[in-house]
Amino acid sequence: MNDHSLPRPVLEIQLRDGEPRVFDLDLANRLGFGRARNIRPLIERHIAALDQLGPRCAVQRVVNGGEASEFYLTRKQAIFITAKSETAEATEITIEIIERFDEYERGVRPTAIPTTAEALAHTFRMLADQERAQAAHTKAIAHLEEKVERVETAQTVLKARPSNAEAITHIRVRIGRLHGLSGQVIDAVMRQTTYAPKPAGMVKNDHESADGATYAVYWQKDVTETFKRFVSECVQVTPTMFTHPSIEGRFRCAGKGGAA
């Protein structure tokens, strides 16, 4: 059992590959792993999902005559691994991760390591004083969980593309004809909107030059509903141009009576 009266290990945020990250062993110590290096097999089991959440940053070291990988995790990757660790303090540490990254981005460095009781008291004060900020954090975590679910779904590799599913290349052609949207806008809708369809799975590319690569496919029904909703939310600003909160700039759209 953890002694909450003792100072907690430091969760230090450092700049790696131009992005703030947390060292895997620092996170392991904060999570209470009996042996900090046990976090690395957990990371390696979920490496495909982590790669979807941000660029991988790993450093190869020689330890006791063998090679070992050290991982530096982004905010999203650290939250994902914290959830997968299934430790008793996962929720508390998720809040701490968010706070530490926020402090780093604001240029704030903690001068002392608080006890768990002090950290909880500080968190409750923040919740009372910054309800809107905490609501934004909660929304971000929910969005991350949804993205993680998509990633895990997309890891299902299918032998062939189902007849009622389509790849992004098919989506660009079909939706482009249906709504007069450019491929760039279609890609942005599939990546940036909160209601973008989840992948039906990954399909193995059988072409010889593909070298065993896979590509994502989506249920055609889900794609159709996504763009039907997107077009309904578009706002016409000129006779031929539209805007949408999720898309930067103006674009053409024929699905609301505009000219493609």
Side-chain angles (χ1 to χ4, degrees):
M1 182 178 298
N2 294 333
D3 185 349
H4 289 185
S5 66
L6 296 176
R8 300 178 308 174
V10 176
L11 190 60
E12 181 183 357
I13 308 302
Q14 52 186 292
L15 193 66
R16 287 275 177 165
D17 290 349
E19 188 171 5
R21 297 173 181 266
V22 61
F23 184 42
D24 58 0
L25 297 188
D26 287 348
L27 180 60
N29 287 328
R30 183 64 193 91
L31 287 167
F33 277 51
R35 188 169 183 268
R37 285 181 173 80
N38 287 345
I39 197 171
R40 289 174 179 166
L42 176 64
I43 291 173
E44 290 169 355
R45 283 201 303 274
H46 296 286
I47 201 70
L50 293 173
D51 286 348
Q52 291 290 328
L53 298 174
R56 187 190 311 180
C57 180
V59 178
Q60 299 298 320
R61 303 285 190 194
V62 177
V63 179
N64 297 327
E67 289 190 355
S69 296
E70 296 179 347
F71 295 95
Y72 294 83
L73 306 174
T74 64
R75 180 201 306 252
K76 292 180 180 180
Q77 292 167 342
I79 291 173
F80 179 84
I81 290 299
T82 297
K84 291 297 182 182
S85 71
E86 299 181 350
T87 59
E89 297 179 335
T91 300
E92 175 193 338
I93 296 170
T94 296
I95 295 173
E96 183 181 349
I97 290 170
I98 293 171
E99 292 177 350
R100 289 290 177 266
F101 273 89
D102 285 350
E103 288 171 351
Y104 183 93
E105 292 167 359
R106 295 196 306 268
V108 177
R109 300 295 183 272
T111 57
I113 305 171
T115 65
T116 299
E118 290 170 341
L120 285 174
H122 175 65
T123 299
F124 286 129
R125 286 196 299 271
M126 287 185 62
L127 289 172
D129 297 337
Q130 302 179 6
E131 289 185 358
R132 292 181 63 185
Q134 187 59 49
H137 288 157
T138 302
K139 183 177 180 180
I141 293 173
H143 182 61
L144 173 60
E145 290 175 345
E146 180 182 352
K147 186 172 183 180
V148 167
E149 184 183 351
R150 286 188 199 172
V151 170
E152 292 180 338
T153 300
Q155 290 176 8
T156 303
V157 179
L158 307 174
K159 293 182 179 179
R161 178 171 62 88
S163 60
N164 53 347
E166 55 190 352
I168 189 64
T169 51
H170 302 93
I171 293 171
R172 292 183 189 125
V173 174
R174 184 173 69 86
I175 297 300
R177 290 173 177 170
L178 185 63
H179 294 298
L181 298 170
S182 68
Q184 183 177 2
V185 171
I186 291 169
D187 288 351
V189 173
M190 295 292 290
R191 290 195 308 265
Q192 296 171 200
T193 55
T194 57
Y195 47 80
K198 298 177 183 178
M202 303 296 291
V203 177
K204 185 176 180 181
N205 193 330
D206 291 330
H207 291 290
E208 293 183 3
S209 60
D211 195 25
T214 59
Y215 60 92
V217 293
Y218 304 82
W219 298 123
Q220 189 176 87
K221 171 178 64 68
D222 293 343
V223 173
T224 298
E225 289 301 317
T226 293
F227 282 92
K228 181 179 179 181
R229 175 175 174 179
F230 172 78
V231 169
S232 72
E233 295 173 349
C234 291
V235 176
Q236 188 169 4
V237 293
T238 75
T240 60
M241 305 299 288
F242 292 77
T243 62
H244 188 278
S246 298
I247 305 297
E248 183 178 353
R250 300 179 177 185
F251 53 88
R252 294 182 181 273
C253 175
K256 286 190 78 173

